[in-house]
Structures are given as C-alpha cells and as structure tokens.
Amino acid sequence: MIRTMGGKISHKLKDALLKFKAVRTWQLALILIPLIFVAATLLRLDHLKMSELRAAVLDADAAEDDAAIETSLRSLQEFVFSHIVINAIENNGVQSIVFGTGPFYLEHQYLRAANAAIEASEAELANDANPNGNIYAAAQSVCRPLAIANGWAWNSPGYLDCWTTELAKYPTTDSLDTQLTANIPSTELYRHNYASPIWAPSAAGWVILLCVVLFLVIVIRLIIWGILHLALFFSREAF
C-alpha cells in the first residue's frame, strides 16, 4: 500500500516537472538578453538628451540671455522629471552615479548679479555723508589700483584686507562685511541640480520593467524546478 502511494506521488511529481519543463524558460532568457541591451541603449539616449538640454542652459548663460536661460531650464527640468537619467559625476576626485543632472552653475548670471550688486552698493556709498568725507570713495581710490595690478577679484583676501585697512583709519566706519558684502547674492541661488525618478513611464522605463518581470519569472521557475527535483528525489528515498 505504501509503495502504491509512493508510486502515485512520484508519478504526479514527474507529471508536474514535465509540464513545467514544457514552459521553456530558456526562451524567456533569450528574450531577456536583447531587451537588456535595448534598455541600456534607451538609457544612454536619455542621458545624451539631458546633456544636450543642460548644454543649452549653459550656452544661454554664456550669452547672458535671461529669457533663454529660463526657457532652457524649464525644458531640462521637465525632461529630467519624466525620464530615467543616470549620470556619472565627480566630486573632489571621487566618481559617483546619480539619478539626474548633477550640480551645475550659472556662472555668468551670478557674476552679472554680483557685479550689479557691487555697483549699486558703490553708488549708494558715493552719496554717503561722513565727517571724514566719503571714506569709501577714498578706500576705493587706494584699493582699486592695487586690485587691478594684482589681479584681485572683489572677494579676494588681498582686496578685502585693503578695504579693511583703509576703512580702519577712520573712527566712524562700520565693519567691511556689513558695508561691502551685504547685497552680494548667494551662489546657491545660481546652483541647479535636478533629480530624476528611479523609474518613469518612458520608453526606457517600460523596457526596464519588462526586463525585471521576465527576470523574476525566470528566477521563480528555476526555484520551482529545483523544488520539484528535490521533492522527487526525497519521494524516491522515502519509498
């Protein structure tokens, strides 16, 4: 009786194994391999498109066209938010992979804003009334020639030290930081970094999703195949 039951169990396991083999998992694997290459190609094309849109932003910045900057930034943002963009960036010599554009700066727009703020401050200081005369104009007359001769920028330590030294000669001056840098915009206002989603309903996104589904099906079938073989082996040992 036990042998009969064992024979029935063994026969059922064999039938299940044969039905499972008929599914032909290797065919799914053959489909998966080219799909992986298609997904990689689509991801590459999305990266190139992002690079093109980001270059358009930087070109508009170099051309000092604020309207073009806004338009190109919007186009870049919309593309990155709706696609899977994988990007390699370098920070302090360390390479890392991120989803999105990575940080980039509108250098020319910042310099224009900073120079405009400095000119506005200088114009305001030119009208300053002080018992010692226009002390800022006096400091500028000393420090600007030195800045030109030494190639100092407005925020160079040498230029700031010169202003501090000259203004310190007058007892009624406030600190240089309060007077000179209060209106300079933060560089963070001109720093952009758009992050893309890990998955998006784009061409690359759907192909990646199909690859994941096929991979899971293959793994599950291999697990079932292994379980059936183990069950068949132990059923033979038991009877």
Side-chain angles (χ1 to χ4, degrees):
M1 182 68 178
I2 294 176
R3 289 182 177 276
T4 302
M5 290 178 61
K8 289 181 178 179
I9 294 173
S10 177
H11 183 70
K12 288 180 179 179
L13 287 172
K14 284 182 178 179
D15 288 342
L17 189 59
L18 289 173
K19 290 179 180 179
F20 183 76
K21 285 182 177 179
V23 176
R24 298 183 181 181
T25 304
W26 62 269
Q27 292 180 335
L28 293 179
L30 289 180
I31 297 173
L32 177 61
I33 293 172
L35 278 179
I36 292 174
F37 284 100
V38 171
T41 300
L42 291 174
L43 288 174
R44 176 62 178 169
L45 291 175
D46 285 346
H47 172 78
L48 293 175
K49 182 62 176 179
M50 179 279 296
S51 299
E52 177 185 334
L53 293 173
R54 185 177 58 186
V57 174
L58 298 178
D59 289 342
D61 177 49
E64 300 185 355
D65 188 340
D66 289 334
I69 290 173
E70 287 299 318
T71 301
S72 54
L73 274 176
R74 193 178 305 111
S75 298
L76 175 62
Q77 184 183 48
E78 290 174 355
F79 180 82
V80 172
F81 287 176
S82 59
H83 291 77
I84 305 172
V85 178
I86 300 177
N87 193 19
I89 63 172
E90 183 175 342
N91 186 16
N92 296 325
V94 178
Q95 289 259 348
S96 58
I97 304 297
V98 299
F99 285 86
T101 62
F104 63 97
Y105 300 85
L106 301 179
E107 180 181 358
H108 295 274
Q109 191 177 53
Y110 170 75
L111 289 176
R112 284 186 287 122
N115 289 331
I118 292 172
E119 291 175 2
S121 297
E122 289 178 346
E124 182 179 348
L125 293 175
N127 299 320
D128 183 65
N130 190 286
N132 300 301
N134 191 335
I135 58 177
Y136 301 102
Q140 183 178 350
S141 66
V142 174
C143 296
R144 175 162 285 185
L146 291 175
I148 294 173
N150 292 282
W152 293 337
W154 61 268
N155 58 349
S156 297
Y159 188 52
L160 295 177
D161 288 343
C162 179
W163 271 82
T164 302
T165 301
E166 291 301 315
L167 294 177
K169 296 177 181 179
Y170 305 97
T172 59
T173 62
D174 293 327
S175 68
L176 177 62
D177 287 341
T178 303
Q179 297 294 335
L180 186 61
T181 64
N183 296 323
I184 302 299
S186 170
T187 56
E188 287 300 309
L189 297 175
Y190 302 87
R191 177 184 182 273
H192 298 275
N193 185 4
Y194 299 135
S196 78
I198 297 177
W199 185 86
S202 61
W206 290 117
V207 174
I208 290 173
L209 183 60
L210 181 57
C211 289
V212 171
V213 171
L214 285 176
F215 177 77
L216 291 177
V217 170
I218 291 171
V219 170
I220 291 171
R221 286 180 174 177
L222 289 176
I223 292 174
I224 295 174
W225 183 83
I227 291 173
L228 289 174
H229 271 73
L230 286 174
L232 182 61
F233 173 78
F234 285 114
S235 67
R236 289 174 176 173
E237 291 292 322
F239 300 101

